[in-house]
Amino acid sequence: MSASTAETSTVGTAGPGTAKASRPRRRGLRPDGPWPWIFVLPTVLGVAVFYLWPILKTFYLSFTTVGVFGGSTFTGLANYLTMFSDPQIPQSILNTAIYTVIVMLGIPIAVGLASLIERPGMRFRGLYRTLYFIPYVTMPAAVGIVWRLIFNGDFGPINWFLSLFGIAGPYWLATPGFALVAVSIVGLWMSLGFNLIIISAGLREIPADLYEAAQVDGASRFRQFRSITVPLLTPSIFFVSIITVVNGFQLFDLLYVMLGKSNLAMPQTQSLVYIFYNEAFLQNNQGYASAIGILILVIIAALTAVQFRLQRKWVNYV
Amino acid sequence: MSENVSTAAVLGQNAAELQREARRPRRHRTQSNAGAHTVLLIGGLIMVSPLIYQVIMSLSTNQQVESAPPTIWPGVLQWHNYLDVFAQMPFGQELWITAAITAVRLVGQLLLCSIAGYAFARMRFTARGVILGVILSIIMVPAQIYLIPQYQIIQGLGWLNTVIGIAAPGVFSAFGTFLMRQFFLGLPQELEDAARIDGASSFMIFWRIMLPLASNGLWALGIITVLWSWNDLMWPLVVTSSAGSAPLSVGLANLQGVHGNNYPVLMAASLMAMLPILILFIVLQKRVVAGIGRSGLK
Amino acid sequence: MDRRSFLSLAALSGVGLGLGATLVGCSSDSSGSGSQASAYTPPAKSLKATISYAIWDVNQQPAMEKIIKGFNKIYPNVTVNIQLTPSAGGAYWTKMKTLASGKNLPDVLWMNGPNIQLFALNNQLMPIDSLVSAGQIKKSNYPSALVNLYTVDGRLYGTPKDFDTVGLYYNKDMLGQAGAAVPTSSWTWDDLKTNGKKVSDHFGKGVFGFAGDLTGGQTSWYNTMLQGGGYIISSNHKKSGYDLPGSIKGLQFWADIIAAGISPSMQQLTTTLANDWFTSGKLAMVMDGDWETAPYHQAFGDKLGVVQLPKGPKSNQSVIHGLGNVISATTKEPEAALAFVSYLGGKPPALLQADAGVVIPAFNGSQTVWANSIEGLDLQLFLDEAKVASPYPISKNTSAWNQMESDILPAAFAGQTPVATAAKKLAEQMNAELAKD
């Protein structure tokens, strides 16, 4: 995968400075003998059997028409041709991208909140961390039902709140556009706690002396935040954004629970994985579903590779 | 041999020092934190409000939950909903199975991901980058792709309806391997080099020096594994077919009827299922934050 | 009566005497042969086996357990393990397809209309014609629409378990306050619209006269399409009926009542389902399945009424659907599975289901217990409807065109696309899909 090779080259340098190659290749002097193989063998075997084999099988099936209960006939590129002419596909890629971008807004929010929590002399840190982390622990099916009620157009608390200001709220979960925003808000809500913990942890790694020096120089708090906190947090932010993209493209359960069947807003809300599941398990179209699965793999791999390339431009490793 | 041990001891001391340094309290400042508390409290309330709503629903009658507009406050609190959970599902037994599955996955991932992560970070071998890339690609496809092939494998092994069968695929984790690799990359190279000069074997370096240093990373991986395993639904649903072998997530899903749900009991059960890991988080959160912080993630 | 003959047969074969219409051999110990041969002999009472029974409704589990107890009085050594999997999000069928891919389908399982042809035509199920020819099961004991539902290519694959038909429920208080008439069995669509409008106008914003569940067709547009004189799918399951003029009338009905403000909008009906509008006292009349009787009665008591569906241009027909008990083609215990399914098709399980009150049992004559289960409500209408009801529309890959319905129809009901255009588009897509079967 190009993703990992790009990444190996930059990430391997843990020393000061951002460029490659500052460390001499000491490792090269002394090979590790059979040990690396012994170390990776269990994982490689397990991954090969339980994960790689299904992916290879999916790749093969994407060129076939599959019977509901097994058996397949080779149909060449037919599934891919169908996929490229299916208007649902580009729309759902767009939906997924919008969802991911909105959920990513949670990253700056997490940075802001974490820097408040990790402020020097701050009390109740444990309480705050727990409050923000709770949504990450919830069961999606149960919490989806709750959010469905919260976003209800006629009786939900959100529209009630808006009505206090004379605003007639929309039918959040049944209006194209709004439905995607509502689902994204829930996605953001669920992931914020995880992001916050990662960012908090990153904050604690920033040496206190830097702030002290800045204070001596008379830098304002905001200035310190911009010039010290954010740059030094970039590795954590980078990690969180990788995870957000990978997870964003897996959006699925929330759509089922929150939107339900025959929803007018579904075409403008459904994700690629939602279409994949529908085709594979509800419409018994596994060959076509496999092609969609491969498309998802290619998109995420490409995005990850791009993120790793771009990281050199903005991520600071200390 | 004794030399190795002593090196390790010295280095271990270094590590302890490093950790102490990381935990060193920051100097207090004079500025007031009242504004920060206000923002955090309001934000925190918004975050937990859906859960509060869930708690209220769990104490209402089904009719109150289903009415439109929903009843905001149930009046008479229906505490018996929590007792009803035990009548409607074998909660204790399912909790036990969930815990067992989680334990197997936890031990497996901590062990396998740390050794593989270390190898990918610090050892040189043929096709390292390619193998890592292939492993990473498995987190990039929809998880549902694995369902049927994994079922056939577990069936072939005769592991259906067993804890091992449910846990097996989840013992191997691409994400965990990646996380641990990042962690080891973040550890100072010097410790390792010193041990090498002393003639320690690769395994001894890993086991005696690097793994103890990685304990914080293991905490991070551990909590992520536990959370994921606890809520995992589709896979256990497919591999378990006898009532006595299913975990909590499946038991919760089974509470949903075709026409007419008992929402309050459903909500009570899901809160009860969530409680053990919430407690775990509250107890461990300091370690988790420290763990993820040190995991390098760079 | 059927049970008695079954019992005696079982008892007789238990002591080694053969008996039965098309009996070939009399050995009760000839294991396995019974399933394949056209002749069926109930196995010996001493039969020892363990079989699995897959179901998806937790609310029916207690009744199923009682039924198994009854079965065990005849076959004490056959253990039946219930496997409950929820239907929510398609979990049950995802699981069954995965299990079938490993040739590991539960021995006996619940089946529904949309999936019967899929499983039967792909050789996943064991035909049970031998039970019929042996006189263990009489097709005349069930509504014929259900027997047809579970007959694929001339072979019967399951014993009908229960059925649903659709009625018009109403809230007497709301109708009275609005000065609207109470529905009768002679109502027409126009009566429904006129009186529904009265309710909407009387109460104003947020309260409505009439609605149906438009997230699926069973309790709403499937019925009105029949009533308009159309059909959903041809009886040979090969051709879509969506573009027929009568069908379009039935679809237009829903677009009209939404446009007239008689019903909540399509958006309102997807986020708050029709039955929730009704139970909350914000909807005076609702078309819904018989399964809602108990919850509705719990909410309104004697303020609740229910009548047959109003008459459209053609009829007042309802669609009928029901579950079946089927046997896996790969079962390792065909004797026990056949004996169990045969028992499930009899009267005692039907009576137990009627008693539980969750569903209407399919066995004719056992339903009166259900029809009288709620004092003050005459539920006979659901049984009457069943006699003339049209079977639930299915084909080999039903869910494929069900998805098309969900994709295309909501916009038509909401008035965003003309109904006729949507119906034509749906018929085209559906016919293309049916051509693949």
Side-chain angles (χ1 to χ4, degrees):
Chain A
M1 283 273 102
S2 59
S4 71
T5 35
E7 193 259 355
T8 314
S9 57
T10 34
V11 162
T13 57
T18 52
K20 329 169 169 192
S22 64
R23 188 201 307 155
R25 300 213 145 217
R26 265 167 288 184
R27 282 175 285 160
L29 299 174
R30 201 182 147 285
D32 294 284
W35 285 109
W37 293 104
I38 297 170
F39 276 25
V40 298
L41 196 67
T43 298
V44 166
L45 278 182
V47 160
V49 169
F50 286 114
Y51 297 94
L52 198 57
W53 156 242
I55 291 181
L56 293 176
K57 200 173 165 185
T58 303
F59 185 68
Y60 168 73
L61 290 180
S62 72
F63 298 102
T64 66
T65 298
V66 186
V68 188
F69 301 98
S72 54
T73 40
F74 194 77
T75 50
L77 290 171
N79 290 323
Y80 288 93
L81 293 176
T82 314
M83 187 166 78
F84 290 124
S85 62
D86 185 344
Q88 284 191 106
I89 300 291
Q91 178 68 49
S92 69
I93 293 175
L94 182 68
N95 298 340
T96 314
I98 294 172
Y99 171 83
T100 308
V101 167
I102 297 179
V103 175
M104 278 185 129
L105 291 178
I107 298 175
I109 296 174
V111 171
L113 291 169
S115 58
L116 291 181
I117 292 178
E118 299 303 328
R119 259 184 173 190
M122 197 69 183
R123 300 186 63 199
F124 309 121
R125 282 185 181 148
L127 172 74
Y128 291 133
R129 280 190 205 122
T130 308
L131 282 182
Y132 287 91
F133 194 73
I134 282 177
Y136 188 66
V137 187
T138 53
M139 298 217 159
V143 100
I145 295 171
V146 177
W147 277 102
R148 207 179 134 85
L149 292 172
I150 291 176
F151 278 114
N152 186 293
D154 290 291
F155 314 109
I158 290 187
N159 279 1
W160 171 81
F161 183 74
L162 291 175
S163 73
L164 296 182
F165 303 95
I167 303 169
Y171 287 99
W172 287 93
L173 297 176
T175 309
F178 284 104
L180 187 54
V181 170
V183 171
S184 308
I185 288 173
V186 180
L188 193 161
W189 175 79
M190 285 179 93
S191 62
L192 188 63
F194 180 76
N195 295 350
L196 187 106
I197 295 296
I198 300 268
I199 306 267
S200 281
L203 277 172
R204 293 168 71 88
E205 296 302 298
I206 300 176
D209 340 1
L210 287 178
Y211 291 102
E212 280 155 23
Q215 243 180 353
V216 172
D217 292 346
S220 68
R221 258 201 174 177
F222 178 70
R223 183 69 212 257
Q224 291 174 31
F225 179 74
R226 229 189 48 193
S227 314
I228 302 173
T229 313
V230 173
L232 292 183
L233 266 184
T234 44
S236 306
I237 295 175
F238 175 67
F239 177 79
V240 165
S241 52
I242 294 273
I243 296 292
T244 306
V245 169
V246 171
N247 283 343
F249 269 81
Q250 306 283 342
L251 166 67
F252 168 67
D253 315 35
L254 278 179
L255 289 174
Y256 251 102
V257 187
M258 287 178 66
L259 263 65
K261 269 202 321 175
S262 296
N263 194 314
L264 271 174
M266 194 51 103
Q268 284 82 26
T269 317
Q270 65 187 348
S271 64
L272 271 179
V273 175
Y274 185 87
I275 298 181
F276 166 83
Y277 182 81
N278 251 345
E279 293 287 346
F281 289 103
L282 300 182
Q283 303 196 45
N284 309 309
N285 208 350
Q286 271 206 55
Y288 186 46
S290 298
I292 297 173
I294 296 300
L295 176 70
I296 295 171
L297 171 67
V298 169
I299 292 176
I300 301 183
L303 284 176
T304 312
V306 168
Q307 281 178 293
F308 273 109
R309 291 250 169 237
L310 287 178
Q311 73 161 340
R312 292 180 215 170
K313 294 215 161 62
W314 65 278
V315 180
N316 300 298
Y317 290 108
V318 177
Chain B
M1 211 39 200
S2 62
E3 232 175 27
N4 289 342
V5 174
S6 68
T7 317
V10 171
L11 291 167
Q13 208 178 6
N14 279 347
E17 259 167 32
L18 278 172
Q19 285 187 354
R20 219 172 298 135
E21 208 165 25
R23 276 196 229 119
R24 183 184 42 155
R26 307 246 159 86
R27 228 163 276 170
H28 285 227
R29 294 188 200 185
T30 44
Q31 274 160 288
S32 152
N33 283 328
H37 280 295
T38 315
V39 172
L40 287 172
L41 257 183
I42 293 175
L45 279 178
I46 295 174
M47 288 297 280
V48 292
S49 55
L51 272 297
I52 295 173
Y53 200 176
Q54 200 185 343
V55 172
I56 293 173
M57 280 165 81
S58 75
L59 294 170
S60 308
T61 65
N62 200 34
Q63 223 167 323
Q64 283 168 332
V65 172
E66 284 188 324
S67 70
T71 318
I72 300 298
W73 187 249
V76 185
L77 298 181
Q78 312 286 326
W79 291 105
H80 63 85
N81 289 334
Y82 285 83
L83 280 179
D84 291 354
V85 170
F86 293 99
Q88 296 200 9
M89 62 194 277
F91 191 90
Q93 189 194 4
E94 289 175 351
L95 180 66
W96 167 244
I97 291 170
T98 295
I101 296 166
T102 304
V104 172
R105 283 169 166 170
L106 182 66
V107 171
Q109 281 202 19
L110 290 181
L111 183 73
L112 299 182
C113 295
S114 60
I115 57 173
Y118 177 73
F120 283 119
R122 284 298 168 84
M123 291 173 155
R124 284 174 67 80
F125 52 99
T126 330
R128 184 180 69 171
V130 175
I131 298 173
L132 184 66
V134 169
I135 289 181
L136 278 184
S137 71
I138 73 177
I139 39 183
M140 296 175 183
V141 296
Q144 293 83 359
I145 274 183
Y146 306 121
L147 200 60
I148 291 178
Q150 286 184 352
Y151 175 82
Q152 290 169 345
I153 293 164
I154 295 296
Q155 186 192 12
L157 292 169
W159 288 353
L160 294 177
N161 292 314
T162 62
V163 165
I164 293 292
I166 307 173
V171 163
F172 308 96
S173 166
F175 175 80
T177 306
F178 179 58
L179 185 84
M180 290 313 292
R181 169 187 179 267
Q182 297 300 87
F183 183 83
F184 283 113
L185 280 177
L187 290 179
Q189 176 82 41
E190 291 71 27
L191 301 173
E192 231 175 318
D193 292 340
R196 290 234 159 133
I197 291 163
D198 288 348
S201 73
S202 294
F203 179 76
M204 286 307 280
I205 293 172
F206 167 74
W207 188 249
R208 281 268 155 77
I209 302 166
M210 299 310 274
L211 195 62
L213 283 177
S215 70
N216 282 331
L218 293 176
W219 277 104
L221 175 61
I223 196 83
I224 292 170
T225 305
V226 168
L227 283 175
W228 160 75
S229 174
W230 205 263
N231 285 342
D232 187 24
L233 171 64
M234 205 58 197
W235 169 247
L237 189 79
V238 166
V239 273
T240 59
S241 45
S242 56
S245 62
L248 267 182
S249 54
V250 173
L252 278 177
N254 274 332
L255 286 181
Q256 289 176 288
V258 179
H259 306 299
N261 277 322
N262 193 339
Y263 287 109
V265 172
L266 197 67
M267 293 299 160
S270 89
L271 288 168
M272 281 164 58
M274 180 182 133
L275 199 62
I277 32 171
L278 191 58
I279 292 170
L280 200 70
F281 177 78
I282 292 170
V283 173
L284 296 179
Q285 48 118 349
K286 265 196 186 149
R287 295 236 53 153
V288 172
V289 172
I292 298 175
R294 306 233 85 216
S295 69
L297 307 178
K298 25 182 158 176
Chain C
M1 46 194 164
D2 197 61
R3 174 169 176 257
R4 217 161 292 139
S5 66
F6 173 69
L7 281 175
S8 60
L9 207 66
L12 284 168
S13 63
V15 292
L17 289 170
L19 187 73
T22 53
L23 209 58
V24 178
C26 65
S27 166
S28 57
D29 295 319
S30 61
S31 56
S33 65
S35 63
Q36 309 303 331
S38 61
Y40 171 80
T41 320
K45 278 173 96 175
S46 59
L47 178 70
K48 223 176 138 122
T50 301
I51 55 173
S52 47
Y53 182 32
I55 69 171
W56 64 69
D57 190 3
V58 66
N59 297 330
Q60 293 189 51
Q61 192 169 2
M64 294 304 120
E65 280 161 0
K66 277 185 200 159
I67 290 169
I68 291 168
K69 266 189 200 145
F71 175 67
N72 281 338
K73 281 188 187 133
I74 309 164
Y75 290 102
N77 300 321
V78 177
T79 310
V80 182
N81 289 323
I82 291 183
Q83 295 181 8
L84 175 67
T85 309
S87 61
Y92 180 86
W93 294 109
T94 299
K95 180 170 175 174
M96 289 310 138
K97 284 169 200 169
T98 309
L99 264 53
S101 78
K103 301 200 184 325
N104 200 17
L105 211 56
D107 301 294
V108 179
L109 61 147
W110 279 11
M111 181 50 69
N112 66 5
N115 284 287
I116 175 65
Q117 298 202 347
L118 186 75
F119 278 74
L121 292 172
N122 283 295
N123 306 317
Q124 297 299 318
L125 303 179
M126 180 199 284
I128 58 166
D129 297 300
S130 59
L131 290 177
V132 179
S133 47
Q136 297 291 320
I137 286 173
K138 286 200 187 76
K139 289 183 181 176
S140 58
N141 280 334
Y142 318 99
S144 58
L146 294 181
V147 175
N148 292 339
L149 195 64
Y150 289 99
T151 304
V152 181
D153 278 355
R155 310 197 72 174
L156 184 67
Y157 283 91
T159 50
K161 172 186 167 296
D162 56 34
F163 72 77
D164 330 302
T165 49
V166 182
L168 179 67
Y169 293 88
Y170 57 93
N171 179 326
K172 292 175 191 167
D173 275 1
M174 287 180 74
L175 291 171
Q177 283 166 32
V182 166
T184 66
S185 54
S186 59
W187 263 27
T188 62
W189 284 4
D190 286 338
D191 295 320
L192 182 62
K193 286 179 187 166
T194 318
N195 287 288
K197 185 89 180 108
K198 273 187 195 161
V199 178
S200 289
D201 289 348
H202 174 80
F203 289 101
K205 198 177 170 289
V207 180
F208 300 92
F210 165 73
D213 176 22
L214 295 178
T215 64
Q218 192 190 353
T219 58
S220 51
W221 74 81
Y222 282 179
N223 303 291
T224 53
M225 282 168 76
L226 298 169
Q227 291 158 10
Y231 57 80
I232 299 101
I233 193 166
S234 61
S235 53
N236 63 1
H237 315 286
K238 294 283 180 227
K239 193 177 164 301
S240 169
Y242 268 101
D243 51 357
L244 299 173
S247 300
I248 294 171
K249 278 182 208 159
L251 295 170
Q252 188 68 46
F253 170 85
W254 297 99
D256 287 348
I257 59 160
I258 288 176
I262 298 167
S263 157
S265 71
M266 189 63 210
Q267 290 175 317
Q268 287 176 309
L269 286 172
T270 32
T271 46
T272 307
L273 297 176
N275 57 349
D276 291 333
W277 282 99
F278 187 72
T279 25
S280 310
K282 294 186 174 351
L283 180 67
M285 295 178 279
V286 65
M287 249 189 213
D288 221 329
D290 57 78
W291 59 82
E292 290 290 356
T293 307
Y296 285 168
H297 187 259
Q298 203 191 348
F300 296 113
D302 54 8
K303 306 280 187 290
L304 177 75
V306 58
V307 291
Q308 283 201 3
L309 294 179
K311 198 168 182 294
K314 177 82 184 295
S315 71
N316 67 347
Q317 232 187 351
S318 157
V319 71
I320 182 171
H321 177 249
L323 307 189
N325 288 301
V326 300
I327 301 174
S328 160
T330 53
T331 176
K332 291 182 185 68
E333 300 286 356
E335 281 200 302
L338 274 167
F340 184 52
V341 165
S342 171
Y343 177 78
L344 288 171
K347 198 167 187 181
L351 290 172
L352 280 169
Q353 290 193 83
D355 209 34
V358 183
V359 292
I360 309 178
F363 196 95
N364 286 334
S366 70
Q367 298 109 341
T368 29
V369 181
W370 180 86
N372 298 324
S373 61
I374 293 174
E375 217 176 306
L377 267 191
D378 184 10
L379 302 176
Q380 184 60 35
L381 68 112
F382 290 107
L383 310 182
D384 295 344
E385 281 184 340
K387 288 172 197 150
V388 293
S390 180
Y392 186 87
I394 58 162
S395 71
K396 186 178 174 188
N397 196 2
T398 314
S399 48
W401 51 267
N402 282 351
Q403 181 66 38
M404 295 166 187
E405 294 173 335
S406 300
D407 289 344
I408 295 172
L409 293 178
F413 296 140
Q416 292 169 359
T417 49
V419 171
T421 318
K424 208 164 163 249
K425 184 176 161 197
L426 177 52
E428 272 167 24
Q429 289 191 12
M430 189 170 155
N431 281 328
E433 176 65 35
L434 291 172
K436 287 192 222 159
D437 283 358

